[in-house]
Amino acid sequence: MSNVLSDYNKERSSNVSKRALYSDLPINFKDVHPNYKDIIALKDIDAVKQSVQNLILTNRGERPFQPKVGSNITRLLFEPADVFTASAIKSEILTVLKRYEPRVTDVTVQVFDNSDRNAYNITIGFKVIFSEIPQEINFYLERLR
Amino acid sequence: MKQLNVTELDFDQIKANLITYFKQHESGAYKDWDFEGSGLNQMLDVLAYNTHYNAILAHNSLNESFIDSAQIRSNVVSRAKLLGYTPRSRKASRATLALRFSSSINEGRESYTFASGSKFTTVLNDITYTFITVEDYTVQLDAVNDEYFFPKVEIYQGRIKHNKYVVDDINLNQKFEIDDDTIDVSNLEVNIYDNARTNSFQAYVPFSEIGGVTGDSNIYFINENYAGNYEVSFGDNIFGKKPDRLNIIDFKYISTLGSEANGATIFNWVGSGISPNITLISKSSEGAEKEDIESIRFNAPLSFVAQNRTVTIDDYKSIISQNITGIQTLSIWGGQDNNPPEYGKVFISGKPVDGDTLSIQQKDEIESLLKNKKVIAILPKIVDPEYTYLYFDVLFKYDSNRTSLGQGQLQSKVRRVIEEYNTDQLQQFDNIFRYSQLLSIVDNSDFSILNSFIRVFVYKTLDINYGNLTPIGLDFDMELYGEIDEEESIISSDPWTFGGITYRLADETKNGSINERNIYAYRETSSGERIKVYKSIGSLFMKEGIVKINPLPVEQNESINIYVSPASNDIVSKRNNLLSIDVDRTQITADVDTISVSGSSGAIDYKTFNRHR
């Protein structure tokens, strides 16, 4: 059985506080450390928020070999813009968070349909398990074609 | 110690290993490896997918390197090439005719030539097929009958095509490819003309043996290329002659539809003038499709082992199946294993795809094929297969609450699975009829069938030729059921008529014999009483399963079946015996299982199956 024992970053100092419970790679690769030029990690609540956002904006079947990960709200944007579709969007969001994001609790979803523009304004409220502070994420979902 | 397990191939396992590896970094910058929504997890998807993709690629590449596991035809062919094996091309269906032309077709001249390329047509399944001759036939005038008689004219389905190349010695990699997958390579003619203005040519023959090849030998080499087409190459003036610059190479071949045209019996001549009288010698057969991957995979190593010589049984099988098409199954055995032994011979028996016995042409082809490949002093002898027919009493109990099918429908269902078993499992040489296997097939044929019982019977056909004066025999090649001093007859037979009276065969004990019973012929009165007429016309050897019968009184050629019960329910086909189930003669009886349907109250009426009829 072969084992790979290399660890390129072993001797480098971490640019993340060791007290952080969760830390994640920012997928927009935007914030760079001024000295090391490393990507600055997202910590704790920011990490969870990014995860929630990723899950909702991922379509099912998009991730290789994991057909169930994600929600189908992109497809729902092409359905008639009415209360039923808004309800379906809400249900999709609640399901995906329940199934794949164990760090959030007390999830509330509000979907406001902006029928004139074929768009939805979505507000997701939740708490992260290690904090009592309510969090909120806003999306404005709009068809591009 | 941080370790990464790199031996897995599946995406999920690769990803799990990566997560395990990264999580070992307790002081690492990132921690959210486990959450599907995290950016890290998405990055791992990319890494794991890439690793998985490369693993599959490596796996497939390695598989394609071996003849056993390669899936792409060109790779199987390429591996077979290393074993000196050229896959068989499509083969034209061939028929043999006898033709009689009136002498007036050639104004009564001394001889008449029936030219190659002459056409015939036939209709099969509403499709018209064209057959052609590929050589000239010349005969002398039969002055007595005032006709030209061609006793054996071979015709092939398809049409003749030409593919020409000009030799260009500047192009060092010139390929002579025949871009036509309908080609029948066995009829390929390679003729090389000196230049485009001459009609004289040299014919080249396919390379087959190293012995005798010189720099002047007109030989060509043929193999299948990556595109699936045949490619011809020539020698280098040291081993085989090399065509010169500006020579014209003409490939003349038959483009054929393969097996589609097999089985035609009625042919019409296509030509002007007086039509010949056509007599069929053998129907069209041997047409075959291009050899498939599985066949190449099977034959190439055998061909390599045989080294183009027939020594062992597998050598014979390999060389015959590689060169002769239209054979479904082959049996080969040495003369020492024959009954009675015939030393110095090898016996070959084949069943064609579309009939019971090989055609005369197929037998001729096998003989001429083996002529130069067999061990000296060993004489191949081709014998026809003999059929041993099995038929059964199939009895089964079923729970009528478990099925919506009626009794008759269930019986039909069981009959169908027995037919499938007959086609799929039997009708091959060196095969075994396994009793328990058939029982389990019957049991599993429907959910409602609870148990089954099968009585096995066997029969063979005795052909009696009118006027034959020598004893004839039937060899069941199995022990028969019953005691040597049994009062009941062991065998039974079909009836035949002689002098207005219907006779049948039966047997009885023979005084003083411990291994033989006497066979007699009897007639039945209207009250069913048996009256022995021919009291001793044969012998039955029960241990060996041999029936010997003296000439029987017949008015014409007769075929009568002799029926017996085998001592064992498992039946082995040996030598040229083929087992086949006579489904029409098989009786299938379904019976409702009263216990399953009615519970313990049904036990009172429950009837079990008898071992004997």
Side-chain angles (χ1 to χ4, degrees), chain B residues 459-589:
Chain B
Y459 75 86
K460 287 189 90 137
T461 304
L462 185 71
D463 291 317
I464 308 160
N465 293 327
Y466 176 68
N468 173 43
L469 295 173
T470 52
I472 43 176
L474 271 188
D475 187 358
F476 282 94
D477 223 343
M478 68 185 85
E479 191 179 340
L480 305 184
Y481 178 76
E483 299 296 329
I484 193 76
D485 53 359
E486 190 96 32
E487 280 188 20
E488 292 275 311
S489 177
I490 302 290
I491 65 165
S492 57
S493 83
D494 282 347
W496 81 97
T497 310
F498 179 69
I501 300 170
T502 302
Y503 295 98
R504 289 170 195 271
L505 294 174
D507 60 284
E508 61 189 358
T509 53
K510 192 171 187 175
N511 282 343
S513 179
I514 52 163
N515 61 354
E516 189 180 338
R517 285 169 67 89
N518 178 51
I519 296 179
Y520 59 90
Y522 67 91
R523 68 181 176 85
E524 271 183 352
T525 62
S526 53
S527 59
E529 190 191 347
R530 290 182 177 188
I531 295 172
K532 283 186 207 171
V533 181
Y534 300 97
K535 292 181 179 167
S536 180
I537 55 164
S539 302
L540 170 68
F541 300 88
M542 289 180 58
K543 281 268 178 218
E544 297 81 11
I546 292 174
V547 175
K548 281 188 177 163
I549 306 223
N550 295 329
L552 290 174
V554 288
E555 289 166 345
Q556 59 191 15
N557 289 348
E558 295 273 3
S559 289
I560 59 170
N561 296 335
I562 308 278
Y563 305 91
V564 296
S565 286
S568 164
N569 281 334
D570 294 330
I571 292 167
V572 184
S573 71
K574 296 174 194 164
R575 294 182 280 272
N576 59 332
N577 260 306
L578 275 173
L579 298 178
S580 180
I581 296 175
D582 187 340
V583 184
D584 294 336
R585 198 175 287 276
T586 294
Q587 290 181 11
I588 297 172
T589 312

Side-chain angles (χ1 to χ4, degrees), chain A residues 52-82:
Chain A
V52 168
Q53 195 166 336
N54 283 345
L55 284 170
I56 292 165
L57 295 179
T58 301
N59 291 319
R60 278 205 282 273
E62 195 177 304
R63 304 271 294 266
F65 299 97
Q66 300 157 100
K68 290 179 183 170
V69 174
S71 70
N72 255 3
I73 57 171
T74 315
R75 183 175 58 81
L76 290 170
L77 285 178
F78 289 83
E79 296 296 320
D82 54 23

Side-chain angles (χ1 to χ4, degrees), chain B residues 154-397:
Chain B
E154 290 184 336
I155 55 173
Y156 296 82
Q157 189 280 319
R159 61 197 183 95
I160 289 178
K161 281 188 176 177
H162 290 267
N163 206 329
K164 288 186 180 178
Y165 280 92
V166 179
V167 178
D168 174 9
D169 62 352
I170 297 166
N171 180 357
L172 295 176
N173 292 318
Q174 189 176 17
K175 306 272 185 211
F176 303 109
E177 181 184 357
I178 305 167
D179 186 10
D180 187 348
D181 60 0
T182 64
I183 182 176
D184 174 358
V185 166
S186 63
N187 280 302
L188 174 66
E189 285 179 30
V190 179
N191 298 321
I192 300 191
Y193 295 78
D194 283 344
N195 53 57
R197 293 183 302 280
T198 177
N199 282 329
S200 66
F201 60 84
Q202 291 185 38
Y204 278 56
V205 296
F207 166 73
S208 59
E209 303 246 333
I210 287 180
V213 175
T214 66
D216 288 329
S217 302
N218 287 354
I219 54 168
Y220 67 84
F221 308 91
I222 188 161
N223 64 277
E224 191 180 316
N225 68 10
Y226 273 87
N229 291 327
Y230 284 92
E231 205 171 276
V232 174
S233 52
F234 297 91
D236 51 5
N237 284 339
I238 296 167
F239 190 79
K241 196 172 171 184
K242 182 182 178 185
D244 294 325
R245 184 169 170 265
L246 297 180
N247 278 176
I248 307 288
I249 301 175
D250 177 22
F251 298 116
K252 180 185 173 190
Y253 61 91
I254 295 178
S255 162
T256 179
L257 295 167
S259 58
E260 268 184 42
N262 283 345
T265 52
I266 299 167
F267 293 92
N268 298 308
W269 185 52
V270 181
S272 56
I274 306 158
S275 299
N277 184 325
I278 300 172
T279 312
L280 182 75
I281 305 291
S282 61
K283 66 178 180 179
S284 64
S285 62
E286 295 177 56
E289 299 310 310
K290 199 172 180 178
E291 188 168 14
D292 62 30
I293 292 183
E294 292 310 318
S295 174
I296 299 169
R297 213 195 294 286
F298 178 75
N299 281 326
L302 287 179
S303 157
F304 178 69
V305 171
Q307 293 287 317
N308 214 20
R309 290 283 177 273
T310 51
V311 180
T312 67
I313 285 173
D314 282 343
D315 297 348
Y316 278 91
K317 280 188 180 168
S318 158
I319 283 175
I320 293 173
S321 54
Q322 187 188 341
N323 292 283
I324 314 288
T325 53
I327 297 179
Q328 183 182 322
T329 173
L330 265 176
S331 177
I332 319 281
W333 67 98
Q336 73 282 2
D337 294 329
N338 198 50
N339 188 16
E342 289 186 40
Y343 297 101
K345 287 185 180 168
V346 59
F347 288 83
I348 299 159
S349 187
K351 181 195 177 298
V353 178
D354 55 351
D356 292 339
T357 55
L358 295 179
S359 66
I360 298 164
Q361 350 168 12
Q362 280 172 320
K363 287 178 184 172
D364 287 349
E365 267 191 43
I366 293 175
E367 276 177 0
S368 65
L369 172 73
L370 297 176
K371 216 170 189 175
N372 297 322
K373 300 182 194 301
K374 70 183 178 65
V375 175
I376 299 169
I378 295 288
L379 199 65
K381 188 174 174 183
I382 300 171
V383 291
D384 287 332
E386 278 187 17
Y387 284 84
T388 302
Y389 296 97
L390 315 179
Y391 65 104
F392 314 113
D393 285 348
V394 181
L395 307 126
F396 63 88
K397 294 275 186 188

Side-chain angles (χ1 to χ4, degrees), chain A residues 93-112:
Chain A
I93 292 170
L94 288 172
T95 307
V96 72
L97 293 183
K98 190 178 175 191
R99 191 179 286 167
Y100 294 108
E101 190 42 272
R103 294 173 292 185
V104 299
T105 58
D106 302 338
V107 182
T108 55
V109 180
Q110 286 177 303
V111 181
F112 304 101

